[in-house]
Amino acid sequence: AVICIDMPDLPALVKVAERVLSLLNTPFRLFRATHRISGSIGVHLSDGAIDPDQLLAAADAAMYRAKAAGRNRFGVGHPLVSQPGRPLR
């Protein structure tokens, strides 16, 4: 998990996710061979009204949607998740 404090808006958070994916996908050498890894990332922008467990659950659900869509992707948490009393979908 990566916690980003004071993210101004969703586009800024998306830039962070894209940068992390880019860094993960950078080739590296190990035992005389070049390797590459990819990742699936879930992000959710909090308005401060969501508790930490809900925030993590929203980002986790977004990650699993990204995994289902294919490799080397990120998913964005649904904004309705941050409304109190709304179930995760």
Side-chain angles (χ1 to χ4, degrees), residues 70-86:
R71 293 180 152 204
N72 207 37
R73 295 178 185 263
F74 67 90
V76 177
H78 197 282
L80 293 178
V81 172
S82 65
Q83 295 178 4
R86 294 295 301 236

Side-chain angles (χ1 to χ4, degrees), residues 21 24-25 36-40 71-73:
L21 286 176
L24 285 174
N25 202 22
R36 249 191 158 105
I37 60 172
S38 63
S40 298
R71 293 180 152 204
N72 207 37
R73 295 178 185 263

Side-chain angles (χ1 to χ4, degrees), residues 2-84:
V2 176
I3 306 295
C4 299
I5 307 296
D6 296 328
M7 294 305 297
D9 53 24
L10 190 56
L13 190 56
V14 165
K15 283 184 182 179
V16 171
E18 290 171 338
R19 179 73 175 136
V20 170
L21 286 176
S22 174
L23 291 171
L24 285 174
N25 202 22
T26 302
F28 62 94
R29 302 237 348 127
L30 180 66
F31 301 115
R32 298 185 192 165
T34 300
H35 302 275
R36 249 191 158 105
I37 60 172
S38 63
S40 298
I41 298 173
V43 299
H44 184 80
L45 186 64
S46 174
D47 59 5
I50 187 172
D51 74 51
D53 290 334
Q54 288 177 312
L55 180 62
L56 185 57
D60 194 49
M63 179 196 64
Y64 281 105
R65 286 194 301 277
K67 282 180 177 283
R71 293 180 152 204
N72 207 37
R73 295 178 185 263
F74 67 90
V76 177
H78 197 282
L80 293 178
V81 172
S82 65
Q83 295 178 4

